[in-house]
Amino acid sequence: QRPFSGRLSPNPVSDECSIEADAPFDKVLIFNSKGQQVAEWNFFSTQKQLLRVDQLPNGHYWVVLTGKTGSGVLNFEKM
């Protein structure tokens, strides 16, 4: 497995964001600044996905993308 890169926009985020990766991913995990998992989504092998994050409180978050070929980490600010 190899790390893959991605892009999250817009950043900062208010209600929803788009994630694009250079390899297919099937799971997205979001962690808050304390390292606690606060959200999880499962997909069928996609390279682009829209996520609704309006339920999250304002703050800094890390997004972990995982797929059959590897994983990647992105971050965003929720405002």
Side-chain angles (χ1 to χ4, degrees):
Q1 292 199 343
R2 66 173 182 84
F4 55 82
S5 61
R7 184 178 62 178
L8 185 147
S9 63
N11 194 5
V13 177
S14 59
D15 294 328
E16 60 185 22
C17 60
S18 175
I19 294 178
E20 293 183 53
D22 67 349
F25 58 91
D26 51 28
K27 183 179 277 191
V28 175
L29 302 172
I30 297 183
F31 295 88
N32 64 18
S33 60
K34 296 178 183 176
Q36 301 164 319
Q37 182 181 323
V38 295
E40 177 177 340
W41 289 272
N42 293 290
F43 305 104
F44 182 75
S45 192
T46 185
Q47 284 183 255
K48 184 175 182 178
Q49 191 64 47
L50 186 67
L51 301 178
R52 293 213 42 99
V53 294
D54 54 337
Q55 79 282 8
L56 297 175
N58 291 349
H60 189 83
Y61 294 90
W62 284 268
V63 180
V64 178
L65 309 173
T66 58
K68 294 184 188 318
T69 62
S71 62
V73 178
L74 307 171
N75 66 72
F76 71 91
E77 191 73 28
K78 168 75 167 58
M79 296 185 140

